[in-house]
Amino acid sequence: MTWTACAVLVAGAAIAPQVITPAQPAAAADGDCTTYSVPTYVWEPATTANIASKRVLRKYMEWGPKSTDAVLLDTLNTASLPMTSKVFTGGGDGILYEATINGQVKAYKDNTATGGNLLTPVKTYSLDWSSAKRILTNGQWFLVFASDGTMDVYKQSSPTTGDGTLTRVIDGTKSSITTAISASDDAWMVNSTVQWLKDGTVQQSVLLPVNLTTSSTVRLWGTTEIATGVDATQAWAPGPGALSTQSVTADPDTTGQVRTYTTGPWTQVDDDVRAGIVGEVMADAGPCLTAPDPSVAPWFGTPPDDAGDPVAGEPTADTIASPSPTVTGTFTLGNGQPAPGLPVTVTAPDVGIDATSETKETVVGTTTTGADGSWSLTLPGTLPAAVQQAKDDNGGVLNLEAVAMGTTTGGVRMLAVDSLSAITDQAAVDASIAGPDNGHSVKLIPNTVDSDGNLKDSFAAGTEAQTYAARVENSPAVPDGEDPQWQSDTGTLPADYDPYLIDGKNVSAETVRAPVTPMGSGTCDTIRLPVSSKIKYTVVGESHAGWDAKATFEYESSMNTSVETAIKSNGNWTLGGSKEVSHSVGISVGYTNKGPHYAKQYKVPIEYVKIKNQYICSGSVRSTWYKIEPKRYKAPGGGALGKVGKDVSGRDGSANFNRSKKAYRNYLEPGGNAQLSRGKSVKFGGAVSFYGVSMGAKTGYDSNHKQKITAGNKSGKHWVWGKNGSVSSGKAGVFYSK
């Protein structure tokens, strides 16, 4: 809670009276308390510098904050408020407040537990708290701190509904305590206690009535140190005797780490509740906390439907194409209509991929598009030695590249590049991600070269941080879906970007003619020049384990991943086709039996190369384009062989389960397990960012590459569900856990 839960009250004396009446009713006795899950809100960071924009308020439930199996459960409920507002809550009654920049304080009721809105308006007060440094509340008392340490105190006459009168009872008081709270890293309230964090130390003061008879005003009494060595700058209390912290790092894979503790004595309960929680965190702290029923899986709103079938048998994978020496594809105009009569050159890009200077692309065949834009090429029975070696080195998968080019009737050069793969052996088909990968339909795009056939490489390190790719890579959030097809390596493209607008004219429907036969008797070659290479950790899978379960992700012996390639022929990059990396690596990486409440992606180091390609005829450059593609698994010197990636537990839990398709759900009996070891994974968006371009990747499941879950022995059903099908269908892609 960077700003939201931050304030303290004036301490009028160093030692509090021995007999006092709390400012809020006493916490229920342990046997009477029923609170085991606490609404927790995250005021997420602004995504733009435009002050007229809004920020997102997201609701979580902190389940079992005093237990060793604590979890921060995403309810999937959000609301948007102006980024200039301040948001705060407390008291355990589901009342939230917003202090606006226009001098108003708005009260809301959170009705999401019964299917209503997160922010249901209750009342608006004419109070200007817009300049406050911190605002803390336990529902009844509001502590409004200024940056100089002074504090105003207000009393809410109807704390459980938020529609009463807010009356100021203390005006501009200041003390060493209020000054310390104002200057703290974070501060919050729980019942009649104000706590604050500064430089790793947590202190607290008790909020007590000044007059024991009327309780018309309050003050802070005493200061007590309750914790030291806290490795965080933000904390909150879900209830008495409990504390949660959030730490921020420069690594998007580990930042937003939430840990839970108990107080009296200070003890760490769970060091990995969740990662990726960024923003200002505040809890609607109630009067007491108890442990949840260990036999009940965490849920939000209404208990989930428990009807369904157990996970059944090994999955049956999708039908995989048989091995074949023939590769196919289709090239079209920008509007999707056929592009007939264009010569197609098919090359083997893995030949000479480690060259550091100019090389000629190795051509494996040529053909021409038919009337419908389709083309077909049968590879020779005996491949050139270098091509055969590249195929053998890649586990029998031959990566290919098909190129077509021409000129529109208006004189605009057009180009299309397709990445595909051929597999001619059954053993290689069985070990591949999805068998031969061809038959793609690829659109011709403008090749906006200069008069000499050159195309400028626009990438600059100084502007990389402004790109979509950098924002995805540096964010702890995981993209929901695939990366944009078109990306800029200098900034973010507008949503309506159209690559076919050339000099104000749309050329997507113009007929494309084959290149004119070059004058003279020279030959034509495609020349490759490596521009740069780098090892990047790439997402190859993930595994999920919710309540009473353990997650395992195995990636062993060989690569079995395909990564999107990117082409630039007109100043911006487009994703198209994928390149499969299937060579043997002789190592085993991943993670085993992590959980409960654990869901992380996994990454392996892959070397990438950016290549400048030029098609040259008789010494004249006819076309220029750049390509980004993976080369192989390669661990950097002194680097990890593989590492855990971003937290993806936001896709687990009861709220996601309730939204899933019932046909995709199955459950595990206590002690049972399930795994995906056939078929292929979903495409993981934002799997890797290389020189300003974000690309996706997918992995084939087999005996060496699998997602696995093992249920514990607690009574009850442990539910799993696939993203694209049931676990036993072979089409799940990835499965989640409740």
Side-chain angles (χ1 to χ4, degrees), residues 13 28 56 79 106 196 198 247 251 287 296 503 506 593 597 640:
V56 172
K106 297 181 178 180
W196 65 98
K198 178 66 174 178
S247 58
D251 183 353
V296 176
D503 296 328
N506 192 303
N593 290 333
H597 305 305

Short mmCIF file of all heavy atoms in Angstrom, two decimals, residues 13 28 56 79 106 196 198 247 251 287 296 503 506 593 597 640:
data_model
loop_
_atom_site.label_atom_id
_atom_site.label_comp_id
_atom_site.label_asym_id
_atom_site.label_seq_id
_atom_site.Cartn_x
_atom_site.Cartn_y
_atom_site.Cartn_z
N ALA A 13 0.60 10.73 24.67
CA ALA A 13 1.42 10.34 25.80
C ALA A 13 2.25 9.14 25.41
O ALA A 13 1.89 8.38 24.53
CB ALA A 13 0.52 9.97 26.99
N ALA A 28 -13.50 -10.49 17.91
CA ALA A 28 -14.22 -11.65 18.43
C ALA A 28 -13.24 -12.66 18.99
O ALA A 28 -12.10 -12.76 18.56
CB ALA A 28 -15.04 -12.28 17.30
N VAL A 56 -6.67 1.19 -12.80
CA VAL A 56 -7.51 0.04 -12.51
C VAL A 56 -7.41 -0.32 -11.03
O VAL A 56 -6.31 -0.40 -10.47
CB VAL A 56 -7.10 -1.17 -13.37
CG1 VAL A 56 -7.84 -2.43 -12.94
CG2 VAL A 56 -7.36 -0.88 -14.84
N ALA A 79 -12.43 -2.24 -11.45
CA ALA A 79 -13.12 -0.98 -11.71
C ALA A 79 -12.06 0.04 -12.09
O ALA A 79 -10.87 -0.14 -11.81
CB ALA A 79 -13.89 -0.52 -10.47
N LYS A 106 -15.83 10.23 -2.19
CA LYS A 106 -16.94 9.39 -2.62
C LYS A 106 -16.86 8.04 -1.91
O LYS A 106 -15.80 7.41 -1.85
CB LYS A 106 -16.90 9.18 -4.13
CG LYS A 106 -17.07 10.48 -4.93
CD LYS A 106 -17.05 10.21 -6.43
CE LYS A 106 -17.25 11.49 -7.23
NZ LYS A 106 -17.24 11.24 -8.68
N TRP A 196 3.00 1.25 10.90
CA TRP A 196 3.73 1.84 9.78
C TRP A 196 5.09 1.19 9.61
O TRP A 196 5.67 0.64 10.55
CB TRP A 196 3.84 3.35 9.93
CG TRP A 196 4.66 3.86 11.09
CD1 TRP A 196 5.96 4.26 11.07
CD2 TRP A 196 4.22 4.05 12.43
NE1 TRP A 196 6.36 4.68 12.31
CE2 TRP A 196 5.31 4.57 13.16
CE3 TRP A 196 2.99 3.83 13.09
CZ2 TRP A 196 5.22 4.88 14.52
CZ3 TRP A 196 2.91 4.14 14.44
CH2 TRP A 196 4.01 4.66 15.14
N LYS A 198 8.98 1.62 8.06
CA LYS A 198 10.03 2.57 7.66
C LYS A 198 11.38 1.87 7.75
O LYS A 198 11.76 1.37 8.82
CB LYS A 198 10.01 3.81 8.57
CG LYS A 198 11.10 4.83 8.25
CD LYS A 198 10.90 5.46 6.88
CE LYS A 198 11.92 6.57 6.64
NZ LYS A 198 11.78 7.19 5.29
N SER A 247 7.34 -6.85 -1.99
CA SER A 247 8.66 -6.31 -2.33
C SER A 247 8.76 -6.11 -3.83
O SER A 247 8.18 -6.86 -4.62
CB SER A 247 9.77 -7.24 -1.83
OG SER A 247 9.63 -8.53 -2.39
N ASP A 251 13.58 -7.14 -11.53
CA ASP A 251 13.31 -8.31 -12.36
C ASP A 251 11.81 -8.52 -12.47
O ASP A 251 11.14 -8.78 -11.47
CB ASP A 251 13.97 -9.53 -11.73
CG ASP A 251 13.81 -10.79 -12.58
OD1 ASP A 251 13.08 -10.75 -13.58
OD2 ASP A 251 14.41 -11.83 -12.21
N PRO A 287 -12.25 -7.33 12.03
CA PRO A 287 -11.91 -7.31 13.45
C PRO A 287 -11.15 -8.54 13.93
O PRO A 287 -10.54 -8.50 14.98
CB PRO A 287 -13.28 -7.22 14.14
CG PRO A 287 -14.23 -7.82 13.15
CD PRO A 287 -13.70 -7.44 11.80
N VAL A 296 -11.33 -27.51 2.49
CA VAL A 296 -12.11 -26.76 1.51
C VAL A 296 -11.19 -25.96 0.61
O VAL A 296 -10.35 -25.19 1.09
CB VAL A 296 -13.12 -25.82 2.21
CG1 VAL A 296 -13.87 -24.98 1.18
CG2 VAL A 296 -14.09 -26.63 3.06
N ASP A 503 2.51 6.41 -49.65
CA ASP A 503 2.32 7.75 -50.21
C ASP A 503 0.84 8.11 -50.32
O ASP A 503 0.38 8.67 -51.32
CB ASP A 503 2.99 7.85 -51.60
CG ASP A 503 4.49 7.67 -51.53
OD1 ASP A 503 5.09 8.06 -50.50
OD2 ASP A 503 5.07 7.13 -52.49
N ASN A 506 -3.59 3.18 -50.80
CA ASN A 506 -3.62 1.82 -50.31
C ASN A 506 -3.35 0.87 -51.48
O ASN A 506 -4.09 0.84 -52.46
CB ASN A 506 -4.99 1.49 -49.69
CG ASN A 506 -4.96 0.19 -48.92
OD1 ASN A 506 -4.63 -0.85 -49.45
ND2 ASN A 506 -5.34 0.26 -47.64
N ASN A 593 7.30 -30.55 -8.14
CA ASN A 593 6.51 -30.56 -6.90
C ASN A 593 6.53 -29.22 -6.17
O ASN A 593 6.84 -29.14 -4.99
CB ASN A 593 7.00 -31.67 -5.98
CG ASN A 593 6.67 -33.05 -6.51
OD1 ASN A 593 5.70 -33.23 -7.25
ND2 ASN A 593 7.49 -34.03 -6.17
N HIS A 597 -0.67 -23.75 -4.32
CA HIS A 597 -0.86 -22.38 -4.80
C HIS A 597 0.40 -21.89 -5.50
O HIS A 597 1.01 -20.89 -5.11
CB HIS A 597 -1.25 -21.44 -3.66
CG HIS A 597 -2.46 -21.88 -2.90
ND1 HIS A 597 -3.66 -22.14 -3.52
CD2 HIS A 597 -2.64 -22.14 -1.58
CE1 HIS A 597 -4.54 -22.52 -2.60
NE2 HIS A 597 -3.95 -22.53 -1.42
N ALA A 640 22.13 -19.25 -16.04
CA ALA A 640 21.30 -20.40 -15.67
C ALA A 640 21.00 -21.27 -16.89
O ALA A 640 20.82 -20.78 -18.00
CB ALA A 640 19.99 -19.92 -15.05
#
